[in-house]
Amino acid sequence: GLYGFYFGSTTDVIHISDVNILDGPGGASFGFRFVGAADSVVIENTVLDFDDEGSTDDGDYGFYFDNTADKVWIDNVDMYDVEVYGI
């Protein structure tokens, strides 16, 4: 898949703000993917627009957690054309 942000191991104390991921690549793409445990994560003031112009297969996943997620705050996030799971 294609990723905006990919965290391949345990994350602890992450703060992401004011990010715009626009005109996503479509298909099995992810805005944010956390493979390991995620602890104390803040994502705010963000736009995920996964519209793949000219295609009917827009992006699939806004936020994807493969493992445990504790103290995760997602605030003021707009998602467009996320076709499978927003979170």
Side-chain angles (χ1 to χ4, degrees):
L2 301 168
Y3 305 96
F5 288 84
Y6 178 86
F7 300 94
S9 61
T10 299
T11 57
D12 186 27
V13 187
I14 302 278
H15 186 171
I16 298 170
S17 183
D18 302 307
V19 171
N20 294 317
I21 299 174
L22 306 174
D23 301 321
S29 56
F30 300 76
F32 295 86
R33 185 168 183 184
F34 296 84
V35 175
D39 183 44
S40 301
V41 175
V42 175
I43 301 170
E44 62 184 355
N45 306 321
T46 294
V47 175
L48 303 177
D49 184 350
F50 280 12
D51 183 33
D52 185 8
E53 289 188 37
S55 172
T56 59
D57 189 12
D58 296 327
D60 288 343
Y61 306 97
F63 298 89
Y64 196 90
F65 296 90
D66 290 343
N67 209 312
T68 59
D70 186 38
K71 294 180 272 202
V72 174
W73 176 291
I74 297 172
D75 186 44
N76 196 32
V77 173
D78 294 326
M79 289 185 267
Y80 305 98
D81 298 300
V82 175
E83 294 187 332
V84 178
Y85 295 113
I87 300 175

